[in-house]
Amino acid sequence: MAQHFLLSPIARALADDEMQLALNNNEPLAYALFMLFRWGSLTQQVCPKCGQVDAHIPRPKHKQWRCRGCAFDFSLKSGSLLDGTKLPYWKALKALYLWSSEPKGMSALAISRKCGVTYEAAYLLLHKF
């Protein structure tokens, strides 16, 4: 039988206070973490439409890239669970961390209080998780 994630050495080494302090209002750090989680690299992206792995054409004004193969404009959230959300990356990452660090998850009300979002935003975010 597999062991629960919270019992693993990696989870025990995480300090809640340090993680939450690192994520508060730190948009560049959260953006880089999302890039590493999603694509495994800070320089290469994967087009969600055609699947081409390349250093695509950046569009920094919109925080997007244009695919070199199919000319599709995509962002870090395109084609993921967070597609369509307007939450900043640090709030979404903080909510994901809080939700996943509890053995039975966390309520939308608690997420809304700890992340500073409305109840509706927290409810929809938890349903996406």
Side-chain angles (χ1 to χ4, degrees), residues 29-128:
L29 173 66
Y31 192 78
L33 283 174
F34 265 112
M35 284 184 77
L36 287 174
F37 292 154
R38 177 134 193 228
W39 296 318
S41 172
L42 294 175
T43 57
Q44 289 188 336
Q45 303 83 27
V46 180
C47 176
K49 188 173 181 182
C50 67
Q52 182 178 359
V53 179
D54 197 0
H56 296 288
I57 303 164
R59 300 183 67 209
K61 183 177 178 184
H62 304 286
K63 288 188 178 178
Q64 292 181 339
W65 293 272
R66 177 163 286 162
C67 179
R68 292 183 189 268
C70 64
F72 178 70
D73 292 337
F74 64 95
S75 69
L76 185 56
K77 294 180 183 178
S78 297
S80 70
L81 292 175
L82 298 174
D83 195 6
T85 62
K86 295 181 181 178
L87 286 176
Y89 290 102
W90 71 271
K91 284 188 180 186
L93 190 61
K94 185 175 178 180
L96 180 62
Y97 173 75
L98 290 170
W99 176 74
S100 63
S101 64
E102 292 293 321
K104 293 186 177 181
M106 189 176 268
S107 69
L109 190 60
I111 291 283
S112 70
R113 271 189 263 120
K114 292 189 177 198
C115 293
V117 297
T118 63
Y119 173 78
E120 291 81 10
Y123 182 81
L124 290 174
L125 194 60
L126 287 179
H127 276 278
K128 288 183 179 199

XYZ file of all heavy atoms in Angstrom, residues 29-128:
798
model
N 8.208 34.678 -8.409
C 8.542 33.353 -7.891
C 7.438 32.356 -8.231
O 7.708 31.243 -8.679
C 8.764 33.405 -6.378
C 8.965 32.059 -5.687
C 10.258 31.419 -6.153
C 8.934 32.214 -4.190
N 6.188 32.746 -8.033
C 5.072 31.853 -8.337
C 5.005 31.551 -9.831
O 4.728 30.422 -10.234
C 3.763 32.469 -7.855
N 5.275 32.549 -10.659
C 5.272 32.361 -12.114
C 6.348 31.355 -12.525
O 6.106 30.454 -13.336
C 5.496 33.716 -12.786
C 5.236 33.743 -14.268
C 3.946 33.791 -14.769
C 6.284 33.730 -15.177
C 3.702 33.818 -16.128
C 6.054 33.763 -16.535
C 4.762 33.812 -17.001
O 4.521 33.838 -18.347
N 7.541 31.507 -11.957
C 8.638 30.581 -12.273
C 8.325 29.167 -11.785
O 8.616 28.184 -12.479
C 9.936 31.087 -11.654
N 7.714 29.050 -10.606
C 7.342 27.727 -10.101
C 6.303 27.066 -10.996
O 6.385 25.868 -11.269
C 6.809 27.841 -8.668
C 7.849 28.038 -7.582
C 7.183 28.292 -6.239
C 8.752 26.837 -7.492
N 5.311 27.844 -11.448
C 4.314 27.287 -12.358
C 4.966 26.827 -13.664
O 4.592 25.791 -14.214
C 3.214 28.301 -12.663
C 2.015 28.155 -11.778
C 1.704 29.118 -10.845
C 1.190 27.058 -11.886
C 0.599 28.989 -10.024
C 0.088 26.911 -11.078
C -0.216 27.877 -10.146
N 5.937 27.607 -14.170
C 6.625 27.194 -15.396
C 7.378 25.886 -15.180
O 7.349 24.995 -16.030
C 7.587 28.282 -15.870
C 6.910 29.448 -16.520
S 8.067 30.655 -17.160
C 8.617 29.832 -18.639
N 8.043 25.761 -14.040
C 8.777 24.534 -13.757
C 7.834 23.350 -13.560
O 8.119 22.240 -14.013
C 9.662 24.717 -12.522
C 10.889 25.584 -12.721
C 11.597 25.808 -11.394
C 11.835 24.937 -13.717
N 6.704 23.560 -12.875
C 5.748 22.478 -12.659
C 5.109 22.043 -13.975
O 4.886 20.866 -14.194
C 4.643 22.899 -11.697
C 5.100 23.122 -10.281
C 4.410 23.971 -9.446
C 6.218 22.488 -9.772
C 4.815 24.190 -8.147
C 6.639 22.698 -8.473
C 5.932 23.548 -7.659
N 4.806 22.993 -14.825
C 4.067 22.685 -16.048
C 4.970 22.145 -17.151
O 4.655 21.158 -17.797
C 3.346 23.937 -16.540
C 2.619 23.704 -17.850
C 1.250 24.245 -17.856
N 0.517 23.734 -18.998
C -0.184 24.470 -19.808
N -0.310 25.744 -19.576
N -0.819 23.922 -20.812
N 6.087 22.828 -17.411
C 6.917 22.467 -18.555
C 8.273 21.897 -18.169
O 8.994 21.387 -19.020
C 7.116 23.688 -19.460
C 5.851 24.167 -20.071
C 4.853 23.408 -20.604
C 5.424 25.519 -20.215
N 3.847 24.204 -21.072
C 4.170 25.507 -20.853
C 5.977 26.746 -19.880
C 3.466 26.663 -21.148
C 5.283 27.886 -20.180
C 4.038 27.850 -20.809
N 8.676 22.027 -16.915
C 9.961 21.499 -16.489
C 11.153 22.341 -16.908
O 12.289 21.916 -16.760
N 10.891 23.528 -17.447
C 11.960 24.395 -17.916
C 11.502 25.841 -17.848
O 10.315 26.128 -17.963
C 12.324 24.048 -19.360
O 13.221 24.985 -19.891
N 12.446 26.739 -17.683
C 12.122 28.161 -17.706
C 12.304 28.771 -19.095
O 11.903 29.897 -19.327
C 12.998 28.919 -16.702
C 12.773 28.602 -15.235
C 13.786 29.336 -14.375
C 11.372 28.966 -14.806
N 12.914 28.023 -20.006
C 13.207 28.572 -21.325
C 12.413 27.923 -22.449
O 12.253 28.529 -23.495
C 14.705 28.415 -21.643
O 15.055 27.037 -21.552
C 15.539 29.235 -20.677
N 11.945 26.692 -22.272
C 11.192 26.021 -23.323
C 9.739 25.856 -22.897
O 9.455 25.528 -21.748
C 11.780 24.658 -23.636
C 13.099 24.741 -24.348
C 13.555 23.383 -24.825
O 13.154 22.366 -24.288
N 14.407 23.369 -25.832
N 8.834 26.071 -23.842
C 7.412 25.945 -23.591
C 6.837 24.871 -24.515
O 7.407 24.568 -25.558
C 6.683 27.272 -23.852
C 7.192 28.438 -23.044
C 8.400 29.096 -23.660
O 8.599 29.058 -24.853
N 9.233 29.693 -22.820
N 5.684 24.352 -24.129
C 4.970 23.365 -24.934
C 3.665 23.991 -25.391
O 2.865 24.445 -24.577
C 4.681 22.080 -24.125
C 3.932 21.071 -24.973
C 5.960 21.483 -23.596
N 3.444 24.022 -26.695
C 2.209 24.584 -27.244
C 1.047 23.664 -26.885
O 1.102 22.468 -27.166
C 2.319 24.737 -28.755
S 0.801 25.318 -29.538
N -0.024 24.187 -26.248
C -1.146 23.322 -25.880
C -1.976 22.869 -27.082
O -2.732 21.912 -26.984
C -1.983 24.188 -24.936
C -1.592 25.574 -25.220
C -0.200 25.542 -25.742
N -1.809 23.519 -28.227
C -2.597 23.158 -29.408
C -1.927 22.071 -30.238
O -2.528 21.049 -30.546
C -2.856 24.392 -30.262
C -3.824 24.160 -31.390
C -4.166 25.448 -32.088
C -5.158 25.200 -33.213
N -5.450 26.441 -33.929
N -0.655 22.287 -30.595
C 0.024 21.315 -31.466
C 1.036 20.444 -30.724
O 1.486 19.440 -31.244
C 0.704 22.027 -32.633
S 2.085 23.090 -32.164
N 1.430 20.825 -29.497
C 2.352 20.025 -28.704
C 3.818 20.214 -29.025
O 4.656 19.452 -28.556
N 4.152 21.216 -29.817
C 5.545 21.455 -30.183
C 6.312 22.013 -28.987
O 5.879 22.963 -28.346
C 5.626 22.425 -31.356
C 7.025 22.684 -31.832
C 7.057 23.606 -33.037
O 6.042 24.037 -33.524
N 8.251 23.915 -33.490
N 7.460 21.406 -28.702
C 8.331 21.864 -27.618
C 9.417 22.719 -28.234
O 10.187 22.256 -29.072
C 8.951 20.664 -26.866
C 9.877 21.147 -25.769
C 7.876 19.759 -26.317
N 9.464 23.986 -27.827
C 10.416 24.915 -28.431
C 10.494 26.160 -27.551
O 9.679 26.356 -26.656
C 9.939 25.306 -29.830
C 11.042 25.925 -30.679
O 12.179 26.052 -30.181
O 10.762 26.286 -31.826
N 11.474 26.982 -27.817
C 11.510 28.321 -27.222
C 10.682 29.201 -28.153
O 11.185 29.732 -29.133
C 12.934 28.822 -27.099
N 9.411 29.314 -27.877
C 8.482 30.006 -28.762
C 8.684 31.518 -28.705
O 9.413 32.034 -27.862
C 7.039 29.645 -28.401
C 6.730 28.200 -28.608
N 6.603 27.640 -29.853
C 6.534 27.178 -27.738
C 6.333 26.359 -29.739
N 6.290 26.051 -28.454
N 8.009 32.238 -29.584
C 8.157 33.686 -29.690
C 7.458 34.346 -28.495
O 6.246 34.199 -28.333
C 7.552 34.190 -31.010
C 8.217 33.487 -32.197
C 7.689 35.704 -31.119
C 7.462 33.613 -33.490
N 8.187 35.074 -27.643
C 7.551 35.679 -26.470
C 6.722 36.906 -26.839
O 7.052 37.650 -27.760
C 8.721 36.054 -25.580
C 9.873 36.189 -26.493
C 9.630 35.285 -27.662
N 5.646 37.098 -26.111
C 4.818 38.299 -26.195
C 4.714 38.852 -24.778
O 3.738 38.620 -24.076
C 3.440 37.951 -26.753
C 3.523 37.346 -28.145
C 2.175 37.080 -28.713
N 1.513 38.364 -28.941
C 0.193 38.516 -28.901
N -0.584 37.513 -28.632
N -0.343 39.693 -29.126
N 5.740 39.565 -24.308
C 5.819 39.952 -22.890
C 4.719 40.896 -22.433
O 4.391 40.920 -21.251
C 7.194 40.603 -22.764
C 7.617 40.936 -24.142
C 6.892 40.007 -25.073
N 4.148 41.666 -23.342
C 3.100 42.599 -22.941
C 1.875 41.858 -22.399
O 1.218 42.317 -21.464
C 2.698 43.466 -24.140
C 1.672 44.519 -23.822
C 1.379 45.366 -25.037
C 0.305 46.401 -24.704
N -0.056 47.175 -25.890
N 1.593 40.694 -22.962
C 0.425 39.913 -22.552
C 0.793 38.686 -21.718
O -0.085 37.894 -21.389
C -0.358 39.455 -23.785
C -0.786 40.565 -24.673
N -1.810 41.423 -24.355
C -0.323 40.985 -25.878
C -1.971 42.303 -25.320
N -1.070 42.065 -26.258
N 2.079 38.505 -21.406
C 2.577 37.308 -20.725
C 2.170 36.060 -21.501
O 1.635 35.103 -20.948
C 2.063 37.224 -19.289
C 2.671 38.219 -18.353
C 2.250 37.932 -16.933
C 2.901 38.888 -15.975
N 2.473 38.665 -14.608
N 2.415 36.088 -22.794
C 2.054 34.983 -23.672
C 3.224 34.642 -24.586
O 4.223 35.356 -24.639
C 0.848 35.352 -24.549
C -0.440 35.511 -23.814
C -1.581 35.854 -24.765
O -1.361 36.333 -25.871
N -2.792 35.601 -24.323
N 3.053 33.539 -25.314
C 3.979 33.126 -26.343
C 3.189 32.832 -27.609
O 2.006 32.495 -27.545
C 4.734 31.866 -25.936
C 5.650 32.062 -24.796
C 6.947 32.466 -24.838
C 5.350 31.860 -23.417
N 7.472 32.528 -23.574
C 6.505 32.163 -22.681
C 4.216 31.458 -22.722
C 6.570 32.075 -21.305
C 4.264 31.371 -21.347
C 5.442 31.676 -20.650
N 3.838 32.935 -28.742
C 3.243 32.545 -30.011
C 4.012 31.324 -30.508
O 5.235 31.345 -30.613
C 3.319 33.669 -31.030
C 2.764 33.248 -32.390
C 2.456 34.408 -33.258
N 1.234 35.020 -32.741
C 0.853 36.252 -33.035
N 1.584 37.005 -33.823
N -0.253 36.745 -32.534
N 3.258 30.280 -30.814
C 3.863 29.030 -31.270
C 4.539 29.236 -32.621
O 3.985 29.863 -33.520
C 2.790 27.948 -31.370
S 3.437 26.369 -31.941
N 5.740 28.683 -32.742
C 6.468 28.800 -34.001
C 5.873 27.899 -35.076
O 6.041 28.149 -36.261
C 7.940 28.442 -33.800
C 8.688 29.439 -32.954
C 10.159 29.051 -32.856
N 10.849 29.873 -31.879
C 11.476 30.993 -32.177
N 11.466 31.447 -33.402
N 12.095 31.681 -31.232
N 5.164 26.848 -34.673
C 4.618 25.905 -35.647
C 3.235 26.261 -36.149
O 2.989 26.299 -37.359
N 2.307 26.555 -35.230
C 0.909 26.777 -35.628
C 0.436 28.215 -35.414
O -0.730 28.518 -35.658
C -0.013 25.817 -34.889
S -0.061 26.047 -33.104
N 1.290 29.099 -34.931
C 0.979 30.520 -34.691
C -0.157 30.706 -33.698
O -0.898 31.678 -33.756
C 0.674 31.242 -36.000
N -0.291 29.789 -32.740
C -1.309 29.879 -31.691
C -0.740 30.676 -30.528
O 0.383 30.444 -30.089
C -1.700 28.469 -31.247
C -2.709 28.416 -30.143
C -4.020 28.784 -30.369
C -2.353 27.995 -28.873
C -4.957 28.727 -29.352
C -3.275 27.937 -27.856
C -4.583 28.306 -28.102
N -1.508 31.632 -30.017
C -1.098 32.402 -28.844
C -1.529 31.668 -27.588
O -2.706 31.317 -27.442
C -1.718 33.793 -28.864
C -1.161 34.660 -29.968
O -0.042 34.385 -30.423
O -1.845 35.617 -30.384
N -0.596 31.444 -26.680
C -0.921 30.738 -25.444
C -0.168 31.359 -24.280
O 0.840 32.035 -24.454
C -0.608 29.242 -25.560
C 0.840 28.917 -25.761
C 1.649 28.601 -24.684
C 1.397 28.916 -27.027
C 2.982 28.297 -24.860
C 2.734 28.611 -27.216
C 3.526 28.304 -26.139
N -0.710 31.138 -23.088
C -0.078 31.622 -21.868
C 0.245 30.428 -20.981
O 0.009 29.279 -21.352
C -1.002 32.601 -21.143
O -2.116 31.916 -20.628
N 0.729 30.706 -19.801
C 1.075 29.636 -18.864
C -0.165 28.893 -18.386
O -0.123 27.703 -18.117
C 1.840 30.238 -17.677
C 2.394 29.306 -16.630
C 3.298 28.266 -17.263
C 3.161 30.089 -15.600
N -1.288 29.584 -18.319
C -2.525 28.972 -17.854
C -3.314 28.269 -18.954
O -4.214 27.504 -18.660
C -3.424 30.037 -17.223
C -2.880 30.636 -15.947
C -3.834 31.671 -15.398
C -3.304 32.340 -14.156
N -4.211 33.365 -13.648
N -2.985 28.510 -20.216
C -3.744 27.940 -21.331
C -3.696 26.419 -21.317
O -2.624 25.824 -21.244
C -3.187 28.422 -22.671
O -3.329 29.795 -22.795
N -4.863 25.817 -21.404
C -4.944 24.370 -21.457
C -4.695 23.674 -20.135
O -4.532 22.460 -20.096
N -4.669 24.409 -19.040
C -4.445 23.801 -17.732
C -5.701 23.950 -16.880
O -6.722 24.463 -17.331
C -3.258 24.467 -17.029
O -3.592 25.777 -16.634
N -5.613 23.506 -15.643
C -6.744 23.656 -14.729
C -7.057 25.115 -14.435
O -8.194 25.456 -14.119
C -6.452 22.939 -13.401
C -6.371 21.431 -13.438
C -5.964 20.906 -12.080
C -7.686 20.833 -13.853
N -6.070 25.964 -14.522
C -6.259 27.376 -14.197
C -6.658 28.212 -15.408
O -6.680 29.431 -15.326
C -4.986 27.934 -13.575
C -4.571 27.286 -12.262
C -3.227 27.806 -11.830
C -5.609 27.511 -11.203
N -6.977 27.565 -16.513
C -7.386 28.288 -17.715
C -8.685 29.040 -17.441
O -9.661 28.469 -16.982
C -7.584 27.312 -18.869
C -7.661 28.008 -20.210
O -7.454 29.240 -20.250
O -7.907 27.317 -21.210
N -8.678 30.333 -17.686
C -9.873 31.148 -17.485
C -9.938 31.852 -16.140
O -10.832 32.655 -15.921
N -9.014 31.582 -15.236
C -9.025 32.271 -13.950
C -8.231 33.560 -14.055
O -7.257 33.648 -14.793
C -8.420 31.416 -12.822
O -7.069 31.144 -13.141
C -9.187 30.133 -12.625
N -8.659 34.547 -13.315
C -7.963 35.827 -13.305
C -7.145 36.022 -12.031
O -6.600 37.087 -11.804
C -8.974 36.967 -13.435
C -9.681 36.965 -14.765
C -10.642 38.107 -14.872
C -11.348 38.077 -16.203
N -12.324 39.157 -16.332
N -7.069 34.984 -11.222
C -6.292 35.084 -9.989
C -4.810 35.205 -10.299
O -4.318 34.603 -11.258
C -6.504 33.835 -9.133
C -7.821 33.690 -8.407
C -7.868 32.350 -7.702
C -8.006 34.802 -7.416
N -4.088 35.963 -9.492
C -2.629 35.992 -9.656
C -2.044 34.602 -9.371
O -2.628 33.788 -8.660
C -2.162 36.991 -8.602
C -3.356 37.741 -8.187
C -4.541 36.877 -8.458
N -0.893 34.347 -9.937
C -0.274 33.035 -9.786
C 0.037 32.721 -8.325
O -0.103 31.585 -7.889
C 1.020 32.968 -10.617
C 0.769 32.948 -12.088
C 0.938 34.095 -12.857
C 0.362 31.792 -12.729
C 0.700 34.083 -14.211
C 0.126 31.770 -14.088
C 0.291 32.920 -14.824
O 0.052 32.896 -16.164
N 0.450 33.718 -7.556
C 0.818 33.439 -6.165
C -0.392 33.054 -5.330
O -0.291 32.224 -4.425
C 1.600 34.597 -5.553
C 0.820 35.845 -5.279
C 0.622 36.885 -6.129
C 0.138 36.172 -4.070
N -0.140 37.851 -5.526
C -0.446 37.435 -4.268
C -0.031 35.542 -2.847
C -1.199 38.069 -3.282
C -0.773 36.174 -1.863
C -1.342 37.418 -2.088
N -1.563 33.619 -5.629
C -2.755 33.240 -4.872
C -3.204 31.825 -5.231
O -3.603 31.040 -4.360
C -3.897 34.225 -5.130
C -3.710 35.535 -4.404
C -4.930 36.406 -4.520
C -4.701 37.709 -3.773
N -5.888 38.545 -3.727
N -3.129 31.477 -6.505
C -3.500 30.130 -6.926
C -2.538 29.095 -6.354
O -2.959 28.035 -5.887
C -3.539 30.050 -8.439
N -1.253 29.408 -6.354
C -0.259 28.481 -5.813
C -0.406 28.341 -4.301
O -0.282 27.244 -3.759
C 1.145 28.952 -6.180
C 2.279 27.993 -5.891
C 2.101 26.710 -6.673
C 3.605 28.619 -6.225
N -0.703 29.440 -3.633
C -0.906 29.389 -2.182
C -2.148 28.564 -1.847
O -2.127 27.748 -0.920
C -1.046 30.810 -1.630
C -1.129 30.870 -0.121
C -1.144 32.307 0.351
C -1.288 32.374 1.850
N -1.297 33.760 2.330
N -3.224 28.733 -2.607
C -4.439 27.945 -2.383
C -4.177 26.470 -2.639
O -4.636 25.604 -1.879
C -5.564 28.456 -3.275
N -3.422 26.164 -3.680
C -3.095 24.770 -3.983
C -2.248 24.161 -2.879
O -2.470 23.022 -2.468
C -2.366 24.688 -5.324
C -1.961 23.306 -5.791
C -3.182 22.431 -5.996
C -1.162 23.406 -7.065
N -1.297 24.930 -2.367
C -0.453 24.430 -1.278
C -1.280 24.191 -0.013
O -1.149 23.155 0.633
C 0.686 25.407 -0.993
C 1.490 25.029 0.221
C 2.387 23.977 0.165
C 1.326 25.690 1.427
C 3.116 23.602 1.275
C 2.041 25.327 2.545
C 2.936 24.277 2.461
O 3.640 23.905 3.574
N -2.137 25.153 0.337
C -2.956 24.996 1.535
C -3.900 23.806 1.413
O -4.086 23.041 2.357
C -3.762 26.272 1.799
C -2.969 27.489 2.257
C -3.859 28.722 2.250
C -2.395 27.258 3.637
N -4.502 23.657 0.244
C -5.453 22.568 0.039
C -4.758 21.208 0.077
O -5.267 20.256 0.667
C -6.164 22.752 -1.297
C -7.082 21.648 -1.648
C -8.309 21.389 -1.104
C -6.846 20.625 -2.607
N -8.843 20.277 -1.688
C -7.959 19.792 -2.617
C -5.799 20.357 -3.475
C -8.063 18.692 -3.453
C -5.902 19.260 -4.306
C -7.021 18.448 -4.281
N -3.574 21.121 -0.533
C -2.902 19.827 -0.613
C -2.165 19.456 0.667
O -1.832 18.295 0.871
C -1.932 19.805 -1.792
O -0.921 20.758 -1.588
N -1.893 20.417 1.544
C -1.161 20.097 2.763
C -2.068 19.609 3.888
O -1.573 19.168 4.917
C -0.345 21.300 3.235
O -1.203 22.361 3.585
N -3.366 19.686 3.702
C -4.299 19.156 4.697
C -4.695 17.731 4.312
O -4.894 17.439 3.130
C -5.553 20.030 4.757
C -5.312 21.420 5.306
C -4.941 21.409 6.774
O -5.522 20.608 7.534
O -4.077 22.193 7.157
N -4.839 16.837 5.286
C -5.170 15.448 4.951
C -6.520 15.276 4.242
O -6.660 14.429 3.383
C -5.198 14.734 6.301
C -4.505 15.628 7.247
C -4.593 17.005 6.706
N -7.502 16.085 4.595
C -8.821 15.979 3.970
C -9.160 17.209 3.146
O -10.318 17.507 2.910
C -9.890 15.782 5.036
C -9.788 14.464 5.756
C -10.949 14.275 6.687
C -10.865 12.925 7.352
N -12.006 12.712 8.251
N -8.155 17.934 2.721
C -8.405 19.151 1.962
C -8.746 20.304 2.885
O -8.570 20.242 4.102
N -9.239 21.380 2.313
C -9.592 22.559 3.088
C -10.849 23.154 2.491
O -11.064 23.074 1.288
C -8.439 23.564 3.034
C -8.594 24.741 3.962
S -7.154 25.815 3.938
C -6.215 25.123 5.273
N -11.677 23.745 3.323
C -12.926 24.311 2.839
C -12.682 25.583 2.038
O -11.653 26.242 2.175
C -13.862 24.608 4.014
O -13.355 25.681 4.772
N -13.663 25.920 1.226
C -13.555 27.132 0.409
C -13.548 28.373 1.295
O -12.889 29.367 0.976
C -14.696 27.189 -0.592
N -14.255 28.324 2.398
C -14.284 29.464 3.312
C -12.906 29.710 3.931
O -12.449 30.849 4.022
C -15.332 29.230 4.400
C -15.668 30.411 5.291
C -16.206 31.558 4.449
C -16.696 30.013 6.321
N -12.230 28.636 4.329
C -10.891 28.780 4.902
C -9.887 29.256 3.851
O -9.047 30.112 4.134
C -10.429 27.454 5.494
N -10.006 28.733 2.638
C -9.124 29.180 1.554
C -9.359 30.656 1.255
O -8.421 31.425 1.051
C -9.362 28.340 0.284
C -8.886 26.911 0.478
C -8.690 28.962 -0.940
C -7.416 26.691 0.413
N -10.627 31.071 1.251
C -10.925 32.475 0.944
C -10.352 33.411 2.008
O -9.876 34.492 1.698
C -12.432 32.682 0.797
O -13.083 32.553 2.039
N -10.387 32.976 3.272
C -9.829 33.806 4.345
C -8.311 33.880 4.270
O -7.720 34.947 4.405
C -10.237 33.249 5.704
C -11.549 33.806 6.204
C -11.826 33.418 7.632
N -12.701 32.247 7.623
C -12.395 31.066 8.156
N -11.259 30.890 8.771
N -13.224 30.056 8.091
N -7.666 32.732 4.034
C -6.207 32.703 4.066
C -5.564 33.286 2.809
O -4.440 33.781 2.874
C -5.716 31.270 4.277
C -6.056 30.768 5.664
C -5.401 29.458 5.949
C -5.739 29.066 7.370
N -4.864 28.061 7.896
N -6.259 33.236 1.689
C -5.676 33.741 0.431
C -6.173 35.126 0.063
O -5.652 35.732 -0.865
C -5.986 32.774 -0.709
S -5.153 31.202 -0.529
N -7.183 35.619 0.744
C -7.681 36.955 0.451
C -8.481 37.043 -0.835
O -8.380 38.026 -1.560
N -9.254 35.999 -1.135
C -10.128 36.009 -2.307
C -11.568 35.843 -1.836
O -11.818 35.543 -0.670
C -9.757 34.882 -3.306
C -8.369 35.080 -3.861
C -9.876 33.515 -2.676
N -12.513 36.039 -2.736
C -13.913 35.862 -2.361
C -14.221 34.380 -2.206
O -13.488 33.514 -2.694
C -14.849 36.465 -3.418
O -14.670 35.760 -4.643
C -14.575 37.945 -3.607
N -15.343 34.102 -1.551
C -15.759 32.717 -1.362
C -16.016 32.043 -2.703
O -15.654 30.884 -2.906
C -17.018 32.665 -0.496
C -17.608 31.273 -0.391
C -17.041 30.327 0.445
C -18.710 30.907 -1.152
C -17.550 29.056 0.543
C -19.232 29.633 -1.075
C -18.652 28.708 -0.225
O -19.162 27.447 -0.151
N -16.618 32.766 -3.631
C -16.941 32.196 -4.936
C -15.664 31.809 -5.697
O -15.605 30.753 -6.335
C -17.777 33.172 -5.771
C -19.176 33.382 -5.257
C -19.263 34.386 -4.110
O -18.253 35.079 -3.813
O -20.336 34.465 -3.499
N -14.654 32.671 -5.632
C -13.388 32.372 -6.313
C -12.722 31.147 -5.690
O -12.204 30.283 -6.405
C -12.453 33.569 -6.247
N -12.745 31.062 -4.372
C -12.146 29.906 -3.695
C -12.929 28.631 -4.001
O -12.334 27.572 -4.221
C -12.103 30.145 -2.188
N -14.237 28.723 -4.051
C -15.089 27.572 -4.352
C -14.796 27.045 -5.762
O -14.613 25.837 -5.959
C -16.555 27.983 -4.237
C -17.553 26.887 -4.482
C -17.865 25.976 -3.481
C -18.190 26.785 -5.700
C -18.787 24.987 -3.714
C -19.114 25.802 -5.941
C -19.413 24.896 -4.945
O -20.316 23.900 -5.181
N -14.729 27.928 -6.733
C -14.438 27.506 -8.101
C -13.024 26.963 -8.226
O -12.781 25.983 -8.950
C -14.631 28.688 -9.065
C -16.071 29.139 -9.264
C -16.107 30.390 -10.108
C -16.899 28.039 -9.902
N -12.085 27.573 -7.523
C -10.704 27.090 -7.568
C -10.583 25.694 -6.982
O -9.901 24.834 -7.536
C -9.802 28.073 -6.815
C -8.315 27.963 -7.003
C -7.949 28.155 -8.462
C -7.594 28.983 -6.158
N -11.273 25.435 -5.879
C -11.234 24.110 -5.264
C -11.883 23.064 -6.152
O -11.443 21.917 -6.188
C -11.902 24.139 -3.894
C -11.106 24.833 -2.797
C -11.871 24.824 -1.488
C -9.750 24.193 -2.602
N -12.915 23.430 -6.878
C -13.532 22.481 -7.791
C -12.621 22.176 -8.983
O -12.677 21.087 -9.546
C -14.890 22.976 -8.266
C -15.979 22.635 -7.300
N -16.579 21.406 -7.271
C -16.535 23.334 -6.299
C -17.471 21.357 -6.311
N -17.465 22.526 -5.705
N -11.787 23.122 -9.358
C -10.838 22.863 -10.421
C -9.724 21.944 -9.937
O -9.197 21.136 -10.708
C -10.237 24.168 -10.947
C -11.237 24.967 -11.750
C -10.601 26.200 -12.319
C -11.659 26.932 -13.140
N -11.078 27.864 -14.076
